[in-house]
Amino acid sequence: GTGPGPVMAQFSMVLVNPRQWERSISVWTSSSHQFDEGGDWGFSQLAPTEELQGELPFICDDGSLRIRVDITLHGERIAELQAKAAAAQAAGRLREVERHLSHAVKLFGVPTYVLMERSEVYRKLGHFEEAIADLSRAYELTPHPDILVSRSWSHFNAGNYIQSILDCDAVVRGGPDECWALNNRSYAYARVGQPQKALMDANAALEARPLEPAFLDTRAYAYNMLGEFEKALADFSLITDEEYLDDNCRTHMCDTFLGLERYDEAAEAATRAIKMRDAFAPALARRARAYWSMRPRRVMEARVDIDRAVELRVSGADRGFSRDGCADGYDAMAELQWYVELQNEIHSYIARSTGMV
C-alpha cells in the first residue's frame, strides 16, 4: 500500500515479440496489483496519466494478449519530485529541474521515463554528453526507437554528426515511416556536407507529413546549402505556426534572404531571432552580414553586431553554442572563422573611409 495520492509505477520488461508490442503497447496494469503465477490475470488498460508512468517491458506469447507486468510501487515520493520538476520547468529553472530528476534517479534507480526527462533538460542546458549518457541508459532498459531519435538529436547538437546518422539509420531500417529520424538525419547529412542526401531525407519526411513545420524548416536548410534559395523561401512560406518560427528557424530564413540578396528582410529575420534569444551569435553575425551588404548605409551597425558576435563566441558566452562547442547545427569553429573574416573586412573598410589607414 502507498497511502492516498498519486501512484507512480516503475515497470521492468522483457520483450519477446516485437510485432505483438506494436499492436498492444499501452499502459497496462493488473487491476489488483497482484499476480497469480498459474491463473488467469485480470488486466485493465489505462490511459497514460500522470498517476501511472513508467517503462513498459513485458513477456508476451505470440497469438495471446496475456501480458505480465511486474510493478514496484514507489508511492508519493517520486510523484512529488516530478511535480517539483514540472513546476521548475514551467518557471524556466532548468538546473532545478535537473536536480529533482537526478534525485528521483538516485532514489528509485533508473526508470526510463525519468532518464528521458532529464536528458531533455541536459540538452536544453547544452550538456549534450550527459543527455547522450542518459538516453543510452534508457535505451538499454527499453530499446524503443523513439529513444534513438532523441539520442540522435543530442548527438547532432554535440557535433557528433556521424553518430547521429547511425542512430537514425537504426530507426529508419526498422520502418520507413519514422519521420523524425529522417528529419534528424537530414540535418546531420547537411552538416557533413551531403546536402543532396539531406534533401532526400527531408523529402521523405514531408511525404508522410507534408505540412510539419520542422520538416519544412529542415528542407529549407538543405535548399540553402544547395543554393536553391527560392525553393527554401517557398518552404518557409508554408510555415504558418508562429510558435514554430523560433530563433533557429528565423536564422535559417535570414540565410535564405541573404542568398536572395534581400538584405532588409534578412536583417529583419535576424532581428526577430535576436529578440527571441539574446547573446545569439549566429543571428548577430548574419545581421551584420546583411547590414554590411547595404554599405555604406548601415556599416556602423554591421560593426557593432559583428564585434558582439565575435566577443560572444571567443568568451564562450554565446547562447547559440554549448560548452561542447556546437548547438543548433552551427559548427563553432567554422562560424567563428567567417565571423572574424567579416569583422576584419568591416573594420578595414571603416578605417579606409575615415582616413585612419
Side-chain angles (χ1 to χ4, degrees):
T2 62
V7 172
M8 290 296 174
Q10 177 189 358
F11 301 81
S12 61
M13 149 168 51
V14 177
L15 177 61
V16 174
N17 181 355
R19 291 189 178 277
Q20 193 69 32
W21 165 288
E22 292 291 331
R23 292 199 296 272
S24 61
I25 185 169
S26 183
V27 180
W28 291 79
T29 180
S30 164
S31 56
S32 63
H33 301 304
Q34 296 178 352
F35 304 97
D36 179 358
E37 224 10 86
D40 291 328
W41 305 323
F43 285 90
S44 58
Q45 185 175 9
L46 305 180
T49 67
E50 292 184 0
E51 286 71 38
L52 184 65
Q53 299 183 34
E55 295 92 68
L56 297 169
F58 53 77
I59 299 173
C60 179
D61 296 324
D62 193 18
S64 167
L65 289 180
R66 292 178 60 183
I67 301 170
R68 175 168 179 162
V69 182
D70 297 319
I71 300 180
T72 303
L73 295 177
H74 295 305
E76 296 180 356
R77 183 60 176 140
I78 194 169
E80 176 190 345
L81 289 169
Q82 282 199 299
K84 289 181 177 179
Q89 176 85 31
R93 300 192 299 269
L94 291 179
R95 296 191 184 281
E96 185 180 336
V97 177
E98 186 273 331
R99 188 174 71 250
H100 291 312
L101 295 178
S102 293
H103 193 190
V105 170
K106 182 179 179 181
L107 287 177
F108 307 118
V110 283
T112 298
Y113 68 94
V114 175
L115 288 171
M116 292 190 69
E117 286 181 29
R118 189 172 68 172
S119 75
E120 181 61 13
V121 175
Y122 280 142
R123 192 187 68 80
K124 289 178 179 178
L125 288 169
H127 301 174
F128 301 123
E129 296 306 324
E130 287 90 338
I132 291 165
D134 270 359
L135 290 165
S136 296
R137 292 171 73 191
Y139 189 72
E140 289 175 5
L141 289 166
T142 311
H144 193 277
D146 286 350
I147 299 174
L148 286 182
V149 172
S150 296
R151 191 173 70 179
S152 76
W153 193 239
S154 288
H155 274 304
F156 175 83
N157 286 153
N160 305 330
Y161 304 125
I162 298 301
Q163 189 58 54
S164 178
I165 291 169
L166 291 174
D167 275 351
C168 294
D169 284 346
V171 177
V172 172
R173 280 198 299 269
D177 59 340
E178 296 291 346
C179 304
W180 286 101
L182 289 165
N183 181 73
N184 291 1
R185 192 170 68 178
S186 174
Y187 259 129
Y189 275 140
R191 292 308 310 162
V192 297
Q194 299 187 54
Q196 287 292 353
K197 284 188 174 181
L199 183 58
M200 288 175 61
D201 273 355
N203 283 333
L206 282 163
E207 283 179 12
R209 297 173 65 174
L211 294 177
E212 170 59 48
F215 301 169
L216 289 166
D217 181 23
T218 301
R219 187 168 68 180
Y221 187 80
Y223 279 140
N224 278 345
M225 293 196 70
L226 290 166
E228 299 185 36
F229 301 112
E230 292 288 356
K231 291 181 178 179
L233 186 59
D235 276 349
F236 284 129
S237 70
L238 295 173
I239 301 176
T240 57
D241 184 355
E242 282 291 324
E243 290 188 7
Y244 184 77
L245 292 170
D246 62 5
D247 45 6
N248 283 310
C249 185
R250 291 194 183 278
T251 303
H252 299 160
M253 290 175 67
C254 179
D255 284 332
T256 300
F257 286 126
L258 285 170
L260 293 169
E261 299 182 3
R262 292 164 59 168
Y263 301 122
D264 284 315
E265 290 163 289
E268 174 61 21
T271 298
R272 296 186 70 172
I274 293 163
K275 287 179 179 178
M276 294 176 184
R277 188 193 327 192
D278 61 347
F280 187 32
L284 283 164
R286 282 158 176 78
R287 188 170 68 178
R289 179 178 279 176
Y291 288 158
W292 170 242
S293 299
M294 302 177 199
R295 62 186 179 278
R297 181 162 57 98
R298 307 192 73 167
V299 69
M300 301 308 292
E301 293 168 276
R303 184 181 68 177
V304 171
D305 276 353
I306 199 61
D307 286 352
R308 177 64 172 151
V310 171
E311 176 192 356
L312 288 168
R313 181 78 290 273
V314 171
S315 68
D318 176 12
R319 295 186 184 179
F321 299 94
S322 73
R323 66 183 185 186
D324 303 300
C326 183
D328 304 324
Y330 301 112
D331 183 272
M333 293 308 297
E335 286 276 310
L336 180 59
Q337 182 178 347
W338 75 257
Y339 295 0
V340 172
E341 290 173 356
L342 180 59
Q343 183 184 44
N344 290 337
E345 196 172 0
I346 292 171
H347 279 261
S348 296
Y349 177 88
I350 293 172
R352 289 194 303 273
S353 299
T354 57
M356 295 176 61
V357 178

